[in-house]
Amino acid sequence: MDGVDLADLGLDEGGHLLVARALSGLRPGQRLAVAGTHPALRLHLAAWCRERGHRVADDDATAGLATTVIVIRGSAGDRRWQGAERAGAAAGPPAARASQAWGLAARGALVEAGGPPLGARWSERDHVWADIAPQLYAAAAASQWDPATAVDWTATGDQVPAEVERAVVQLMTYLVENEQAALIIPARLLSQLHPHYREVMQLLASQSADEARHVEVFTRRALLSGGELGTSSAGGRASLQTLLDEPDFTTASFLLSVLGEGTFLDLLRFIADHAPDEVTADVTRLAARDEARHVAFGVAHTAHLAGADRHYLGTLRQAVERRHAALRDTAGLNAEVFDALVLLAAGSWSPAAIRRGWQAVRDLQDRMDEGRRRRLAAIGFPDDEAAELSALHTRNFM
Ligand SMILES: [Fe+2]
Ligand SMILES: [Fe+2]
């Protein structure tokens, strides 16, 4: 018979771990001799065994202070794990479909049956995944920056002309509004994603954190000169609302990250290039660095799904057309934002400068269009369709 000696260790101070360990090597019905000098050994052991479906035999032996109690292994412990399944494999790619029954269990964990089902909305790999997600998350974790130290907040332009400063404040006001939409959307997708696809979950969490920083630095830049904020147009907000209302994971990711944030990459670089002060240049450059990752995931994920389901390009096309139709009667971009971009690039109100600024903004719009067409082609759209869809993109840029 197998045995375990607890010496004077009580079951109420960890002794049960030694008993359970010894029992785990036995088959149901086999006996284990548990020896010890703790005065309540038999009493505690009987209670513990009852809870776990083991039995205590009647024939204890006592020698001096030591008692030996015989425990007969039960089978209840095994029954608990009947019907248990692994939540996919710990290594290698995640499962094609994640079971709601896995709930919050770690990928690869042995999941006891009977827990509450998760109710995650997105639980199919192709509808959320991109092979580049783990690398993008690693890059995101390595590139977090601190707004307090990454920007020299004292490097403002006291030298910035008042009207150019107002243009900067208007642009920052507009950026904050867009960043808030860009924060809410990944946070919403994240809340309905099956955590089995943990790299995507982590990436969306870091994307939300990036947007929180962008909201902060653009707000801070807007307030730097101590004046009022700029304007928020109904058309701009209507455009963003269509993004918030998009229920599908991939379509939301496509409209926000591929088309919207893709377009914003050019916008942020434009503001950085024409910034009248270091702070404006720094905050837009730092944000653009983060946005490049958001765009990369949007493109890779959309291409992944389009590769798995050729009909999906049609769904995306319809989404762009639907959004265009919904926004047809709105102004799109806030006119004050457009004017602010011209003045920023012009730097002054002289006619020659305004002509230069105007042309720079036209060139910016061409670059935005080229970028969208390139990304649409990367997803799988033929060039002519990519050009058509790019032209239907919201005038609000995001
Ligand atoms: Fe952002
Ligand atoms: Fe973003």
Side-chain angles (χ1 to χ4, degrees):
M1 194 193 325
D2 289 88
V4 59
D5 187 355
L6 303 187
D8 61 351
L9 180 68
L11 245 66
D12 55 354
E13 47 184 356
H16 68 285
L17 294 173
L18 281 94
V19 179
R21 176 167 174 257
L23 281 170
S24 71
L26 303 184
R27 286 191 305 280
Q30 284 192 306
R31 297 156 79 90
L32 176 74
V34 181
T37 58
H38 192 279
L41 176 65
R42 182 170 219 292
L43 191 71
H44 288 170
L45 203 50
W48 184 84
C49 285
R50 219 169 21 250
E51 261 176 41
R52 280 159 187 77
H54 307 302
R55 280 193 306 118
V56 172
D58 296 328
D59 46 349
D60 317 352
T62 306
L65 288 175
T67 305
T68 300
V69 183
I70 307 299
V71 172
I72 305 164
R73 195 199 196 294
S75 58
D78 297 327
R79 276 204 297 274
R80 191 175 149 218
W81 294 104
Q82 274 172 12
E85 60 170 322
R86 290 271 166 202
R97 183 183 295 262
S99 167
Q100 301 289 350
W102 296 347
L104 294 168
R107 191 192 296 164
L110 185 62
V111 186
E112 184 182 4
L118 193 62
R121 186 158 177 187
W122 291 295
S123 52
E124 282 179 61
R125 186 180 56 211
D126 285 344
H127 288 264
V128 300
W129 188 252
D131 290 337
I132 200 178
Q135 291 101 288
L136 281 176
Y137 172 64
S143 344
Q144 298 295 300
W145 45 274
D146 178 359
T149 54
V151 178
D152 177 4
W153 293 99
T154 60
T156 64
D158 290 337
Q159 77 286 2
V160 178
E163 284 172 305
V164 176
E165 174 64 17
R166 268 206 296 283
V168 170
V169 171
Q170 176 57 64
L171 291 171
M172 294 298 140
T173 306
Y174 161 82
L175 289 176
V176 170
E177 180 171 312
N178 283 265
E179 296 295 347
Q180 288 177 163
L183 190 164
I184 289 168
I185 292 158
R188 180 170 59 82
L189 299 181
L190 166 62
S191 72
Q192 296 172 310
L193 171 69
H194 199 302
H196 181 73
Y197 306 106
R198 66 158 187 267
E199 294 87 346
V200 176
M201 178 177 73
Q202 292 164 314
L203 191 57
L204 291 173
S206 71
Q207 185 168 334
S208 304
D210 291 343
E211 308 301 9
R213 266 200 316 270
H214 303 171
V215 169
E216 176 188 341
V217 294
F218 294 149
T219 301
R220 224 164 140 172
R221 173 59 189 91
L223 295 173
L224 218 49
S225 47
E228 297 278 10
L229 254 64
T231 62
S232 162
S233 75
R237 293 198 310 280
S239 179
L240 293 175
Q241 189 63 41
T242 58
L243 292 179
L244 297 184
D245 291 343
E246 175 51 57
D248 180 60
F249 185 101
T250 305
T251 308
S253 167
F254 169 71
L255 292 176
L256 172 71
S257 297
V258 178
L259 295 179
E261 292 177 319
T263 302
F264 251 56
L265 271 181
D266 288 310
L267 177 67
L268 292 168
R269 287 170 186 153
F270 179 91
I271 299 173
D273 289 346
H274 295 283
D277 61 285
E278 279 303 305
V279 174
T280 302
D282 285 350
V283 292
T284 43
R285 216 172 274 135
L286 285 162
R289 224 171 59 192
D290 294 336
E291 291 307 331
R293 283 193 307 274
H294 310 168
V295 176
F297 177 70
V299 171
H301 165 55
T302 315
H304 175 92
L305 181 52
D309 173 7
R310 291 311 292 174
H311 299 300
Y312 202 77
L313 288 182
T315 305
L316 295 177
R317 185 191 171 95
Q318 282 166 15
V320 173
E321 289 168 346
R322 207 168 46 238
R323 188 174 185 215
H324 176 73
L327 296 175
R328 186 173 292 149
D329 297 328
T330 67
L333 184 67
N334 185 348
E336 277 144 352
V337 172
F338 188 90
D339 297 350
L341 287 171
V342 172
L343 183 59
L344 191 75
S348 85
W349 278 105
S350 81
I354 292 295
R355 175 182 288 127
R356 261 200 327 273
W358 181 267
Q359 191 51 49
V361 174
R362 299 306 297 262
D363 293 345
L364 166 65
Q365 288 173 306
D366 287 345
R367 277 200 302 283
M368 288 170 160
D369 178 53
E370 273 164 40
R372 282 195 299 268
R373 282 188 287 159
R374 198 176 58 243
R375 291 180 195 105
L376 287 162
I379 288 167
F381 284 103
D383 289 345
D384 54 339
E385 242 183 286
E388 263 177 66
L389 292 181
S390 173
L392 293 181
H393 183 62
T394 174
R395 283 163 294 186
N396 188 53
F397 300 148
M398 181 67 90

